Amino acid sequence: MKKLLMVMLSAVMISAIFLAGCGGSNSSGSGESGAAEGNEGSGEKRTLRVSIGVNDKHPEYEASMKFKELVEAETDDLTVEVYHSGQIADDRSAIEMLQFGTLDITIPSTSPLVNFLPEYGVFDLPFTIPNEEVADQVLDGEFGTKMLEMVDSQGLVGLAWWENGFRNLTNDVRPVGSMKDVEGLKIRTMENEIHLDAWKALGANPTPMAFTELFTAMQQGTIDGQENPYPTILLSNYPEVQEHISNTNHVYTPFIFLFSKSIWEELSADQQDIISKAAVEAGQFNRERTREVADESLEELKTQMTFTEVPEEEFAKFQEAVQPVIEKHKESIGADIVDEYLSAIESAK
Ligand code: TK8
């Protein structure tokens, strides 16, 4: 009798494990490929995975969770999972996963996109967008719409503009208040030729690196410094590995909300509408939170790092030094799109 019970119990356990496995593979399957459910627009249940590079203290994570809340409040057939700190992939790899249909959403800086679309280099031209108000008008206007539509050719759907912010230099060697101080610093840049050329023109010794490798590189001293917006500098704990910070404000970087085109085309019209609206609404939330946090972050960073204010006359030298870089990349980006970008900025001022 006892033996019979044991056999029955084992059979129950084996079938339970099998069913759980099926359930797991089904949910991770839909998350993994985004296409496993073969949803021909029927609105079947689907899990959307979002990959971002910053950690769960950053306003971009808050906004990603806002996106999740908005989508899940509107429908029972979509679930959103947010993966922060580059758990799934860094910006560039995540973009490639969207192109292959193995990831649904990523919200990277625009800079890695230049490896797929040179036109996106406009956003890396130093000292062009002067403040957030101009950034909003350029991105929410005709030019920004054109740039979002442009990603379609790369197997991507551009749904909204979020905000990374104005980039500022940190380093662990010396205070930087002038071009002279930049001389020879090993600065990490994003994987983007324009950033590399700009820091070379300023006298630095730049090296491209994925965001996910940055903290370790600073910790190990393989680079002297990096440049990112204040929230990222504070919330990624850079004061632990960087002594100096300067208000260079040299580039405004947008975050772009990207969806995999192959997966997008499997969604129902209702699902697409819900996702589009949520991406835009969460983007507004992201901009507000990022600006609040940026102000708070700078004040906090001044207590944890040595802050150097760059004098106006030095900014003029920085801007003069990078002019040849802008001229050189006007060709690689495309002269027409650069002119459109610069006139959109002038109109917004
Ligand atoms: C995060 C990155 C980051 C960017 C960088 O995914 O790489 O330095 O500024 O915000 O996109």
Side-chain angles (χ1 to χ4, degrees):
M1 183 59 182
K2 194 174 172 190
K3 197 172 178 185
L4 177 60
L5 271 176
M6 287 304 289
V7 169
M8 286 174 68
L9 184 61
S10 314
V12 168
M13 284 176 69
I14 288 166
S15 52
I17 289 166
F18 175 72
L19 285 173
C22 283
S25 67
N26 184 33
S27 60
S28 62
S30 61
E32 278 307 309
S33 72
E37 290 181 298
N39 171 1
E40 289 72 37
S42 61
E44 284 171 11
K45 282 196 179 303
R46 180 184 290 270
T47 298
L48 301 176
R49 293 190 312 158
V50 182
S51 170
I52 58 174
V54 292
N55 64 29
D56 57 356
K57 298 197 284 291
H58 197 284
E60 188 186 28
Y61 176 78
E62 286 180 53
S64 300
M65 294 305 284
K66 181 75 175 175
F67 170 77
K68 169 184 171 70
E69 177 195 315
L70 291 167
V71 168
E72 293 179 354
E74 285 298 311
T75 171
D76 294 334
D77 58 21
L78 292 175
T79 305
V80 177
E81 292 174 353
V82 180
Y83 295 87
H84 58 81
S85 308
Q87 294 167 53
I88 293 181
D90 62 69
D91 285 359
R92 186 169 174 173
S93 310
I95 292 166
E96 289 165 351
M97 289 176 75
L98 263 59
Q99 291 176 317
F100 295 132
T102 54
L103 177 66
D104 310 277
I105 298 164
T106 190
I107 316 169
S109 294
T110 52
S111 305
L113 262 177
V114 297
N115 297 289
F116 306 89
L117 283 165
E119 295 87 343
Y120 262 75
V122 292
F123 296 118
D124 300 301
L125 295 175
F127 303 111
T128 45
I129 287 183
N131 55 53
E132 287 94 349
E133 292 69 32
V134 170
D136 292 352
Q137 288 190 58
V138 170
L139 294 171
D140 295 345
E142 203 177 303
F143 183 80
T145 304
K146 175 177 183 169
M147 295 305 285
L148 285 179
E149 289 167 355
M150 193 182 288
V151 305
D152 183 76
S153 65
Q154 299 302 310
L156 304 166
V157 181
L159 292 180
W161 292 110
W162 288 22
E163 175 163 287
N164 191 353
F166 281 96
R167 310 183 73 87
N168 294 285
L169 177 68
T170 67
N171 84 89
D172 210 30
V173 174
R174 66 179 85 98
V176 171
S178 69
M179 268 187 58
K180 181 175 55 55
D181 300 331
V182 176
E183 192 66 36
L185 289 178
K186 288 181 289 185
I187 303 295
R188 172 268 178 179
T189 72
M190 293 182 283
E191 295 155 298
N192 176 297
E193 284 302 317
I194 302 167
H195 282 258
L196 281 168
D197 284 351
W199 285 101
K200 282 176 193 161
L202 293 172
N205 174 18
T207 183
M209 185 184 295
F211 181 72
T212 44
E213 297 160 25
L214 176 52
F215 187 88
T216 304
M218 291 188 287
Q219 203 170 32
Q220 293 173 348
T222 48
I223 54 167
D224 296 323
Q226 65 83 49
E227 39 83 60
N228 250 292
Y230 294 134
T232 301
I233 295 168
L234 178 68
L235 302 170
S236 306
N237 303 318
Y238 292 173
E240 289 176 15
V241 292
Q242 297 275 277
E243 172 55 38
H244 300 282
I245 185 167
S246 308
N247 65 326
T248 50
N249 281 313
H250 50 279
V251 166
Y252 173 88
T253 304
F255 278 137
I256 180 171
F257 191 110
L258 295 172
F259 205 104
S260 165
K261 186 178 177 185
S262 58
I263 298 174
W264 182 257
E265 289 170 348
E266 295 172 359
L267 300 176
S268 67
D270 283 350
Q271 289 173 323
Q272 290 178 348
D273 186 51
I274 288 165
I275 292 165
S276 299
K277 287 178 177 152
V280 171
E281 187 174 338
Q284 292 304 330
F285 171 80
N286 165 263
R287 281 175 175 171
E288 287 155 25
R289 276 300 292 149
T290 300
R291 290 163 194 177
E292 282 167 20
V293 172
D295 294 341
E296 296 158 9
S297 300
L298 177 54
E299 291 320 304
E300 179 57 28
L301 286 166
K302 286 178 175 177
T303 69
Q304 298 185 24
M305 300 175 78
T306 305
F307 177 77
T308 302
E309 183 97 29
V310 179
E312 276 311 311
E313 61 272 20
E314 284 304 325
F315 271 119
K317 290 178 193 163
F318 277 55
Q319 289 169 304
E320 189 183 338
V322 299
Q323 273 312 306
V325 176
I326 294 177
E327 287 316 309
K328 168 186 173 185
H329 285 283
K330 194 165 179 175
E331 298 319 309
S332 65
I333 296 168
D336 291 348
I337 197 84
V338 170
D339 288 343
E340 270 185 66
Y341 172 66
L342 295 176
S343 61
I345 291 172
E346 286 313 308
S347 310
K349 278 180 180 173

